[in-house]
Amino acid sequence: MKRNINEVLRSIKWLLIPYLILLCICLVIKLLFSRETIYFTVNGINNPVGDFLAPFATDLGNGWTAVIIAAVFTLFNYRKALIVATAYAVTSISVQILKYIFDEPRPMLYFKDQLSHIHFVKGVDMLSFNSFPSGHTVTAFTLAVLFTYWSRNKALGLLFLLIAVIIGYSRMYLSEHFFEDVTAGSVVGLVMTVIWLYWLDNRAFIQRPKWQKGLLG
């Protein structure tokens, strides 16, 4: 059964509508405040609990999360496994291209003369290059869109959005990315996943019965 793009968007409206509101708020923040002001405001809001939890949250946006999810889906549903794997591949390749096009420094390099004034979380491997956009955020929003799309209870889209936002925020908390990187990453992840999902899920081959099964039958 073919679905048009509007049907795909309606199926994720519990994620999409609050996301668009949040995106507008982010754009207003960016218009009102400088990169430095936003960065040091976020960096100044830290505590031991946040230092402990942020690395775990950020790991949820790691590429290995998408790989593991795709592998698990292979056991039950080849269609979902293929969509997860290819959506991750398409969005991650796209974000890497954007990283090298913009070639933006990360906070560690950007504020190299002010490092003594920055809060860093111990044990976190700090990177210096290819900051824009945030790849972890792209992956987080890719998975959030897919899980919302497949959920019977569409209201869970709010939960998936919250998780994706927490992952994005963790990238700023850990000083791995700027506000702009995370905001752009969310847009790339959501938009490209919706387009890819619409295109791939409408292919005739993926609707065949054998694709609805997995290794466990």
Side-chain angles (χ1 to χ4, degrees):
M1 175 180 171
K2 288 192 173 183
R3 309 185 73 180
N4 61 44
I5 193 72
N6 289 329
E7 289 175 315
V8 174
L9 292 174
R10 280 196 295 271
S11 71
I12 64 166
K13 67 179 181 180
W14 279 90
L15 178 149
L16 182 61
I17 294 174
Y19 168 74
L20 291 176
I21 294 172
L22 183 61
L23 179 61
C24 289
I25 294 172
C26 289
L27 294 177
V28 170
I29 290 174
K30 180 55 189 170
L31 287 173
L32 294 177
F33 303 100
S34 67
R35 166 181 284 195
E36 290 76 9
T37 298
I38 297 172
Y39 172 81
F40 281 107
T41 298
V42 172
N43 188 256
I45 305 172
N46 60 78
N47 55 67
V49 175
D51 289 2
F52 175 76
L53 294 178
F56 292 102
T58 211
D59 282 344
L60 293 176
N62 192 293
W64 282 108
T65 301
V67 172
I68 292 171
I69 290 172
V72 172
F73 272 134
T74 301
L75 299 175
F76 307 100
N77 190 296
Y78 293 129
R79 166 178 159 265
K80 291 181 179 179
L82 179 65
I83 291 174
V84 169
T86 55
Y88 168 66
V90 168
T91 56
S92 62
I93 290 172
S94 299
V95 80
Q96 291 304 317
I97 291 173
L98 291 172
K99 281 179 178 291
Y100 283 98
I101 288 175
F102 289 97
D103 193 25
E104 288 291 316
R106 293 182 188 245
M108 186 76 172
L109 180 60
Y110 190 88
F111 294 116
K112 62 182 180 181
D113 297 327
Q114 304 179 59
L115 296 182
S116 60
H117 303 294
I118 296 175
H119 172 76
F120 292 107
V121 176
K122 293 181 179 179
V124 176
D125 183 23
M126 303 303 300
L127 303 176
S128 299
F129 304 99
N130 304 130
S131 188
F132 183 91
S134 165
H136 283 68
T137 307
V138 170
T139 299
F141 275 85
T142 291
L143 295 175
V145 167
L146 294 180
F147 276 108
T148 302
Y149 179 71
W150 289 324
S151 292
R152 292 182 180 180
N153 182 359
K154 297 301 183 183
L156 286 174
L158 289 170
L159 174 62
F160 298 136
L161 174 61
L162 176 61
I163 294 172
V165 169
I166 289 173
I167 292 170
Y169 185 82
S170 74
R171 301 306 288 160
M172 295 188 292
Y173 187 97
L174 296 174
S175 288
E176 295 284 14
H177 284 287
F178 290 105
F179 181 77
E180 300 91 332
D181 306 337
V182 171
T183 303
S186 71
V187 174
V188 172
L190 189 145
V191 172
M192 294 205 65
T193 302
V194 167
I195 293 172
W196 182 253
L197 180 58
Y198 161 72
W199 182 86
L200 183 58
D201 214 22
N202 276 321
R203 300 306 95 194
F205 79 90
I206 209 170
Q207 300 302 329
R208 294 172 184 166
K210 67 179 182 180
W211 281 91
Q212 313 314 312
K213 301 177 182 179
L215 291 174
L216 298 181

